[in-house]
Amino acid sequence: MATEIQEGAKLEQLSHENPDEIEVAAGRDREQLEGWIPELASDADVREALEKAFDYRGDITVTRKDGTQVQGYLFDRQSSTTLTDSFIRIMPSNAPGTKINVGYADVAALAFTGRDTAAGKTFEAWVKKYWAKKAAGEQNIQIEPEKLD
């Protein structure tokens, strides 16, 4: 634990640094997952695909081993040491307000079927649009929320 003097010295040292040079964090490549149907050949494949589904900002379709399907938004997951102890939680698109648990071991197939609502909405994309509008002479350029579906 740092003392107040040590923290003050560190803040003084950092005040002379360029924030862009000291605030470097590893980024993450954004994958195009919309329409993707991963191959679930192994337990590791299931885990990896469900982690990507958790990060995905669109609906997915899960086909269980009994043949039933659940389409909706994966909003939570509990990953344990075995697939039988792990599960995902989905808000079905056809039953608002409902939440369904699906065990990892019950997943036979997965498809990224919904529109990726976060695609193309990076800060860099917004800045690019901003400068295009400014170059076109638009006034009062601002961030406006997208209408919900």
Side-chain angles (χ1 to χ4, degrees):
M1 177 174 249
T3 65
E4 287 184 31
I5 294 172
Q6 291 170 325
E7 288 180 15
K10 186 65 177 174
L11 290 174
E12 174 64 24
Q13 178 188 2
L14 292 174
S15 69
H16 301 291
E17 300 285 334
N18 180 350
D20 291 334
E21 293 176 3
I22 60 174
E23 293 182 8
V24 177
R28 199 174 91 186
D29 290 334
R30 182 155 185 84
E31 295 179 83
Q32 173 59 38
L33 298 174
E34 192 172 322
W36 183 51
I37 300 173
E39 185 175 326
L40 305 178
S42 68
D43 290 358
D45 292 342
V46 172
R47 289 181 185 279
E48 183 179 341
L50 291 174
E51 281 300 311
K52 289 181 179 182
F54 176 71
D55 290 336
Y56 186 61
R57 296 292 173 235
D59 283 353
I60 60 167
T61 300
V62 174
T63 304
R64 293 185 185 120
K65 290 185 177 171
D66 65 4
T68 59
Q69 289 188 329
V70 178
Q71 182 175 10
Y73 184 74
L74 191 163
F75 69 96
D76 190 18
R77 85 282 194 220
Q78 178 70 45
S79 182
S80 188
T81 53
T82 64
L83 292 186
T84 55
D85 295 334
S86 305
F87 63 90
I88 55 174
R89 298 178 69 201
I90 299 174
M91 291 187 285
S93 55
N94 63 353
T98 306
K99 297 170 184 165
I100 296 175
N101 289 4
V102 178
Y104 279 32
D106 294 332
V107 176
L110 174 67
F112 293 77
T113 51
R115 182 176 69 94
D116 184 355
T117 58
K121 296 182 181 164
T122 63
F123 179 71
E124 291 80 15
W126 181 84
V127 169
K128 187 177 178 181
K129 289 177 190 172
Y130 172 86
W131 286 112
K133 288 180 179 180
K134 190 156 183 114
E138 278 192 40
Q139 302 287 325
N140 298 325
I141 305 167
Q142 57 189 323
I143 297 174
E144 294 179 20
E146 180 179 299
K147 294 184 180 191
L148 299 174
D149 293 333

